[in-house]
Amino acid sequence: TVTPVNTGMSFKKDLAVKPLPTAQSKALAELQNQWDSFTFAPIRESQVSRAMTRRYFADLDNYAESDIVIIGAGSCGLSTAYMLGKQRPDLRIAIIEASVSPGGGAWLGGQLFSAMVMRKPAEAFLNELGVPYEDEGDFVVVKHAALFTSTLLSRVLSFPNIKLFNATAVEDLITRPAPTEADPNAVRIAGVVTNWTLVSMHHDDQSCMDPNTINAPLVISTTGHDGPFGAFSVKRLVSMQQLEKLGGMRGLDMRSAEDAIVKRTREVVKGLIVGGMELSEVDGANRMGPTFGAMALSGVKAAEEALKVIDE
Ligand code: AHZ
């Protein structure tokens, strides 16, 4: 006889999200009884246009002078934003994300799998966000990476002092001279140069399309490891001779990579903190592959480093 293999459910616990508030459910239930008679409230097209454009351009105006700009809304950038938004409602924080969809590589766990692994002690960050997980001893598993990313994203977007400009690329860094005895050509970073990503992608086939700018005393770059968009700020630091060369991300070693990324999260040049996998291109750290604890905790540390600089 062949013993059937019990593959079981991949997730044993009931990980259902909390039920909706009853008031909202009641209103919806009433609606559902009246499909024949219901109509939407009246609208004119220009009202829709104005509702969007007025807010977008007010945001561009408000955030032209920001306290902190975060480049990249991947797992590290969003974790950084969450910590800063929660602790400092007085700071104006802009997140610039090149992609239409924020979240970077954190919509899937690894390869194209769903579950997301976080090594302990990074589950502390999941507890903070209220993301459920299964405990596997030295690490925890979130049912779907998208549950982590969407929860984090919703928390970040709820802070009134944080604005996410997605579909917007950082094309350059604003610099000011900050000579030191060791390096008379040293600069400090004083903001970012931006363009809508679709514009950035067409510099080769259209005439010059000049960018926009955001001034900020502190920029936190979390643009991921080298790739078509990745390691943006670090690569620019090399070309403007503020870093000698790229460290060159090393091969995969989960054992050492995560500790290294968190420990090395820091202000790399004056006014620019680097976090997440972009750091592997500064110091030549290993990659960790599909385990996301270091991204969350690098974000926690980047926020802490940022507040030290801001409160200096
Ligand atoms: O679109 C990019 C992504 O969402 C965005 N970005 C990159 N360049 C940008 C630019 N302007 C605006 N010039 C830009 N946005 O930055 C985000 C980076 O997210 P990510 O998920 O790639 O990086 P992360 O460091 O937050 O997380 C890395 C996750 C990885 S990679 C890895 C491995 O390869 O071993 N392991 C893990 C856990």
Side-chain angles (χ1 to χ4, degrees):
T1 57
V2 179
T3 314
V5 179
N6 180 8
T7 53
M9 296 285 289
S10 57
F11 280 84
K12 291 144 227 131
K13 269 196 268 170
D14 177 11
L15 300 179
V17 292
K18 287 191 193 116
L20 286 170
T22 44
Q24 198 174 335
S25 307
K26 263 190 215 152
L28 269 181
E30 272 169 34
L31 233 186
Q32 285 173 306
N33 289 329
Q34 302 166 15
W35 286 132
D36 289 341
S37 59
F38 106 103
T39 64
F40 280 107
I43 195 81
R44 185 173 169 76
E45 288 76 2
S46 60
Q47 290 178 290
V48 177
S49 305
R50 284 178 175 150
M52 296 186 293
T53 54
R54 189 189 302 134
R55 286 171 176 81
Y56 194 87
F57 287 99
D59 282 337
L60 277 182
D61 185 349
N62 279 332
Y63 286 85
E65 281 285 354
S66 292
D67 294 301
I68 298 177
V69 173
I70 299 173
I71 316 177
S75 44
C76 181
L78 289 173
S79 302
T80 310
Y82 172 82
M83 294 303 289
L84 288 170
K86 185 172 177 199
Q87 291 171 82
R88 293 296 294 268
D90 57 310
L91 297 178
R92 198 175 304 198
I93 301 163
I95 310 175
I96 312 296
E97 167 52 54
S99 176
V100 170
S101 54
W107 290 109
L108 289 162
Q111 193 147 323
L112 297 178
F113 309 138
S114 314
M116 174 185 263
V117 171
M118 280 220 186
R119 282 166 70 190
K120 290 184 178 178
E123 88 286 7
F125 191 64
L126 298 177
N127 294 339
E128 163 78 27
L129 293 177
V131 174
Y133 52 78
E134 285 195 342
D135 196 324
E136 298 249 353
D138 287 333
F139 61 91
V140 301
V141 187
V142 180
K143 176 184 172 187
H144 201 301
L147 178 60
F148 166 74
T149 300
S150 60
T151 307
L152 176 56
L153 197 51
S154 72
R155 302 265 189 264
V156 165
L157 291 174
S158 302
F159 292 121
N161 58 322
I162 296 186
K163 169 69 186 182
L164 168 69
F165 293 97
N166 48 333
T168 306
V170 170
E171 289 191 339
D172 207 347
L173 301 168
I174 300 177
T175 64
R176 302 275 188 249
T180 61
E181 254 176 53
D183 181 4
N185 297 318
V187 298
R188 70 180 167 86
I189 305 305
V192 295
V193 177
T194 63
N195 224 323
W196 282 316
T197 306
L198 295 182
V199 173
S200 289
M201 290 165 74
H202 283 277
H203 284 308
D204 290 342
D205 57 40
Q206 299 291 321
S207 59
C208 178
M209 298 175 287
D210 267 316
N212 192 25
T213 56
I214 299 179
N215 284 110
L218 184 64
V219 173
I220 305 175
S221 192
T222 62
T223 67
H225 58 68
D226 202 2
F229 265 116
F232 173 80
S233 301
V234 168
K235 286 194 277 193
R236 190 65 183 99
L237 289 182
V238 172
S239 61
M240 62 169 90
Q241 300 178 339
Q242 298 299 308
L243 261 188
E244 211 174 293
K245 59 183 172 65
L246 285 188
M249 182 178 71
R250 308 289 200 267
L252 192 151
D253 181 357
M254 280 189 194
R255 293 180 176 189
S256 61
E258 291 207 275
D259 293 6
I261 293 294
V262 177
K263 281 183 187 151
R264 293 172 186 177
T265 300
R266 65 189 187 280
E267 192 177 23
V268 168
V269 303
K270 226 172 165 9
L272 185 89
I273 289 171
V274 181
M277 277 309 283
E278 184 168 0
L279 265 178
S280 68
E281 305 290 356
V282 178
D283 301 310
N286 292 89
R287 67 193 299 189
M288 70 289 298
T291 158
F292 283 81
M295 297 305 113
L297 295 191
S298 174
V300 172
K301 189 168 174 213
E304 196 180 312
E305 296 296 305
L307 294 182
K308 278 187 212 158
V309 174
I310 290 280
D311 294 335
E312 222 167 49

